[in-house]
Amino acid sequence: MLERFRQFWNKLLSPVADGLIKLGVSPDAVTFVGTAGVCVGALWLFPQGEFFWGTMFVTAFVFSDIVDGTMARKLGRSSNWGAFLDSTLDRLGDAAIFGGIALWYAWEGDSPLYLCLSLICLVLGMMTSYTRARAESLGMDAKGGIAERSDRLVAILVMTGLSGLFDLPILQQATLWVLAVASLITVVQRMVKVRNQALGPTSG
């Protein structure tokens, strides 16, 4: 389903990619601008409690993650460097989103509990990505789990946007709880998967 979703947006945003290519814009430049936009929106608007407009701003730049890949394929420039850059900056954008929410709870939101929960989601999100990257560097597979990056990103942006639109903080807060638990489970799932590959499923 996720693949069909991505194919839909690839097709829809293909004219944008074509236009940027005609202007001489490189895929790497789109990656950098997209990440900068996500970080600015999340770290500027979220700490002010502007969750609806912040989500709209961030979402607009999130789509650069599709546009840069489409451009690279059209130009025949898909490479290990592009994949590395895209993955690395994705982590920065994800951290900015949860960091911006954490700043709201540290300042105007005045909630140590949800400040900590936002930071837990941030850290566990990084860990899910790290477990996969480290496993792959060792020649093993750690894909999967109940809360992959796309799941976490869609959940927090949709529910943060709705919490701002309808003035219902509980939507965002409940999502933070769910993501914290789901991310922890995902880390454990990936660790078990790698352990089974490295030592065998019956090792004690």
Side-chain angles (χ1 to χ4, degrees):
M1 184 173 181
L2 180 61
E3 184 59 30
R4 290 198 296 271
F5 176 81
R6 194 172 185 87
Q7 288 175 356
F8 168 77
W9 283 107
N10 276 329
K11 185 175 181 179
L12 188 66
L13 295 173
S14 185
V16 176
D18 290 335
L20 291 172
I21 289 172
K22 288 180 181 178
L23 291 173
V25 179
S26 72
D28 286 356
V30 173
T31 303
F32 279 114
V33 170
T35 302
V38 169
C39 291
V40 168
L43 296 175
W44 172 40
L45 294 171
F46 285 173
Q48 299 180 56
E50 295 288 347
F51 291 126
F52 176 72
W53 291 113
T55 297
M56 293 299 99
F57 191 99
V58 167
T59 301
F61 284 95
V62 164
F63 284 110
S64 67
D65 192 40
I66 296 175
V67 174
D68 58 5
T70 301
M71 290 174 65
R73 286 190 293 275
K74 288 176 177 288
L75 292 169
R77 293 184 187 173
S78 297
S79 64
N80 288 336
W81 161 248
F84 170 81
L85 179 66
D86 192 53
S87 180
T88 300
L89 294 185
D90 280 349
R91 304 290 86 74
L92 181 61
D94 294 353
I97 290 170
F98 285 101
I101 293 171
L103 288 174
W104 158 252
Y105 286 115
W107 297 342
E108 299 299 324
D110 192 23
S111 174
L113 172 61
Y114 287 102
L115 164 62
C116 292
L117 199 59
S118 300
L119 294 177
I120 288 170
C121 288
L122 190 161
V123 172
L124 290 175
M126 297 298 104
M127 285 190 66
T128 57
S129 298
Y130 175 79
T131 51
R132 176 176 171 177
R134 183 57 177 155
E136 291 177 348
S137 75
L138 296 171
M140 292 179 283
D141 171 45
K143 294 180 181 179
I146 65 171
E148 296 192 270
R149 177 184 181 260
S150 56
D151 303 320
R152 299 191 307 273
L153 190 62
V154 169
I156 195 60
L157 287 178
V158 168
M159 300 312 285
T160 292
L162 290 176
S163 73
L165 179 62
F166 297 113
D167 192 23
L168 290 172
I170 187 64
L171 296 178
Q172 182 192 75
Q173 293 166 355
T175 303
L176 289 172
W177 280 109
V178 171
L179 290 182
V181 174
S183 297
L184 178 59
I185 292 173
T186 301
V187 171
V188 173
Q189 287 177 315
R190 291 185 172 187
M191 290 178 69
V192 170
K193 187 175 184 179
V194 172
R195 179 186 183 279
N196 289 341
Q197 292 171 76
L199 303 177
T202 59
S203 298

